[in-house]
Amino acid sequence: MKIKLKFPNPGLENRIATHGELEKMEVEEAGDRPKWDNKAQYLLTCVGFCVGLGNVWRFPYLCQSHGGGAFMIPFLILLVLEGIPLLHLEFAIGQRLRKGSVGVWRSINPYLTGVGIASLLTSFLVGVYYNTIMAWIMWYLFNSFQDPLPWSQCPLDQNRTGLVEECARSTTVDYFWYRETLNTSTRIDESGGLQWWVVLCLVAAWTLLYVCCIRGIETSGKAVYITSTLPYLVLTIFLIRGLTLKGSVDGIKFLFTPDVNELMNPSTWLDAGAQVFYSFSLAFGGLISFSSYNSIHNNCEQDAVLISIINGCTSVYSATVIYSIIGFRATQKFDECIGDNILKLMNAFNLPEGNVTDSNYKDILSQYNQTNPDIIAGLDMVQCDLQKLLTEGVEGTGLAFIVFTEAIINMPISPLWAVLFFVMLFCLGLSTMFGSIEGVVVPLVDLGVLPKKWPKEAVCGLTCLVSFLLGLLFALRSGNYWLALFDTFAGSIPLLVIGLCEMIAVIYIYGIDRFNRDIEFMIGHKPNIFWQATWRVISPLIMVVILVFYLVTQVTKELTYLVWDEDSASFPVLEPTPYPSFVYAIIFILAGIPSLAVPAFAIYKFFQRRFCKRRDYSSDTVKSISGKL
């Protein structure tokens, strides 16, 4: 006896088109429905959406934090078991139902409309702070067209007799980032007013994004030919340049040398699973919309595998490039440390210049330490350790705006490398924002919350305007702290909840047998045993484990943020500071409301059907995405 686990779903046949109707629909909509110019345009758009800033700075940081090459083992395993199956599922269901994120889940069951609303809210919140990072990148890009670079030297004080103390006590790159760019305050609740240069960059970033997305894929589809390919060219240029720098090989060796003990650490697997999930841009709704513009017989399985391979390889490739530069930076600091110690040694013992070199430093130091230990102890010599310098990790924006900029100022023709680096980051961020805007605009139209007569240009413009106004929060002096808060919570728990709901909705409510027949109709063969096993059991189980562990770790630890405070005893090290109590309400808005949108809308729908005037719900769906938005 064969037992099938499938929840009742009455009226599904009336909410979705048959295979025959799909064939007819594709012919009838050929003239007025947006579609990709070619397969390359679609793939480049999806690659651009999936491959973003996180591949350049979050993945290398996680490798550094979890034993270098050891982190890549769970990352690649979970990429296969978690990332590829959910990516294929989103591509397939979007292509089959030919709708955006709200339309897809409402067609499967009206009670699931909240899944699409949760994707909309998450895409909106992430897009608001993500484009602020784009504004910061533009600020650095504008400042890169000068020699010397403004973050390469400390400014003079008001009397012009010495350097600004804050810069002299830290580093030039730290000062330019925290003071010249952010003009950061010392508390999250100390707003300090808008910084006009950040506001101007925000205006430029949102204006450029609007121009690129004004007509959806008709305009953004053209831009991806540059935004999705240029980063690979720049990464290759940086790799070639990095390999010629002293110490680059040490950095790459550090990246690929595994610490096998880290494989026994649960947090390594947890971070790897989360990174796979985020790096694919799953659950934002953008990929579902993008796939809905395909031909009904497009091979979505092949697309999912290809994009997954490109995404995984890009993470490893970009980490290699980043660590060639980090190795150079660490070697520079190591050489400076040894040089300072040699100078102290020569001055203490009146040694002639050139008598102590890098090659004989250890031997001479050991000799004097045996004969004059008191003098050596009084020299306050620093312990120089290259491995320790390589393990000094800076996550997120710090890797781009502090670590990499510090390495760039030590390169010949540094403005050229600065321009290339920030152009690359801008392209990576812009192509990701295309998907974020798609994940907001299409669901807004599906939900009918705006007048139907509004053209897509107006809907897109309103989305960008509202996002810009909310993004002014990050242009305050405390903006960096708010952005870190958004980054931690807006794109974490909601995405895991949405991804899990998507998997359950398709496999156990829409029905795995129906889904298998749909895929066979679209690509010519049924999904093999790998897809069956991952969709039914493995991928949902992995997402549940990650979600539970994430919630447990967040609840049990004290929530703090890192503060730049010149008066701190640990300055220039960032000072961990507990969040004020009101921030917990903001955290609920960022993580709780999108997650609770799923059950909340289901409850609303239940009471609406039970107590409101009955009507025919068989038509409770939306039209396929049309050019006549």
Side-chain angles (χ1 to χ4, degrees), residues 161-225:
T161 56
L163 302 178
V164 172
E165 184 182 0
E166 185 179 15
C167 183
R169 292 177 57 200
S170 55
T171 66
T172 58
V173 289
D174 283 328
Y175 180 81
F176 187 82
W177 170 238
Y178 289 110
R179 187 55 57 213
E180 298 287 347
T181 301
L182 302 175
N183 193 22
T184 188
S185 61
T186 56
R187 296 196 314 273
I188 192 171
D189 52 354
E190 184 184 307
S191 60
L194 294 171
Q195 309 303 296
W196 63 266
W197 55 92
V198 179
V199 174
L200 288 180
C201 290
L202 267 176
V203 171
W206 281 109
T207 302
L208 180 60
L209 181 63
Y210 173 66
V211 170
C212 291
C213 297
I214 191 169
R215 294 184 60 83
I217 65 169
E218 296 175 25
T219 48
S220 64
K222 306 296 188 295
V224 295
Y225 290 113

Side-chain angles (χ1 to χ4, degrees), residues 26 33 71 84 125 130 162 170 181 219 490 523 540 545 550 563 616:
E26 184 163 10
R33 187 176 185 279
F71 180 77
I84 301 179
L125 291 172
Y130 202 93
S170 55
T181 301
T219 48
I523 68 176
V545 171
Y550 184 87
V563 171
D616 181 12

Side-chain angles (χ1 to χ4, degrees), residues 356-546:
V356 184
T357 62
D358 292 348
S359 57
N360 64 9
Y361 161 72
K362 286 187 177 181
D363 295 333
I364 294 178
L365 177 62
S366 177
Q367 176 186 337
Y368 280 113
N369 200 25
Q370 291 176 2
T371 57
N372 303 91
D374 295 336
I375 297 177
I376 295 295
L379 291 180
D380 193 24
M381 300 181 76
V382 180
Q383 183 69 33
C384 304
D385 187 350
L386 180 60
Q387 290 301 307
K388 183 179 178 182
L389 292 169
L390 287 169
T391 57
E392 289 180 354
V394 181
E395 186 178 8
T397 53
L399 182 62
F401 299 119
I402 296 176
V403 174
F404 223 85
T405 52
E406 185 177 13
I408 285 173
I409 59 178
N410 291 313
M411 296 181 187
I413 326 176
S414 54
L416 172 64
W417 299 108
V419 169
L420 281 176
F421 178 65
F422 289 111
V423 165
M424 177 191 73
L425 290 185
F426 188 80
C427 288
L428 284 171
L430 188 61
S431 56
T432 299
M433 282 301 299
F434 292 160
S436 295
I437 290 295
E438 186 77 12
V440 175
V441 172
V442 173
L444 279 178
V445 176
D446 286 353
L447 287 168
V449 295
L450 298 175
K452 293 183 178 180
K453 293 183 180 180
W454 279 28
K456 189 166 188 178
E457 293 87 345
V459 179
C460 183
L462 179 64
T463 301
C464 291
L465 177 61
V466 173
S467 299
F468 163 73
L469 293 175
L470 186 58
L472 290 176
L473 172 68
F474 308 116
L476 299 171
R477 290 187 61 189
S478 59
N480 187 40
Y481 307 137
W482 285 108
L483 188 137
L485 184 72
F486 272 62
D487 187 37
T488 302
F489 294 101
S492 55
I493 295 175
L495 294 180
L496 292 168
V497 171
I498 295 166
L500 183 61
C501 290
E502 288 182 352
M503 196 76 75
I504 293 172
V506 172
I507 304 306
Y508 298 109
I509 298 177
Y510 185 76
I512 185 64
D513 291 336
R514 181 190 299 273
F515 193 51
N516 287 338
R517 291 193 299 270
D518 289 342
I519 291 178
E520 184 178 18
F521 163 72
M522 291 189 292
I523 68 176
H525 64 84
K526 286 186 177 180
N528 58 35
I529 187 65
F530 168 76
W531 302 113
Q532 303 295 333
T534 51
W535 284 337
R536 292 170 190 255
V537 180
I538 299 174
S539 294
L541 187 61
I542 289 173
M543 280 187 277
V544 168
V545 171
I546 292 174

Side-chain angles (χ1 to χ4, degrees), residues 245-251 324-338 386 389-390:
L245 299 172
K246 181 182 179 182
S248 60
V249 176
D250 291 323
S324 69
I325 304 300
I326 287 178
F328 163 67
R329 172 180 174 267
T331 302
Q332 286 269 351
K333 287 195 166 187
F334 178 77
D335 290 345
E336 290 174 5
C337 178
I338 293 292
L386 180 60
L389 292 169
L390 287 169

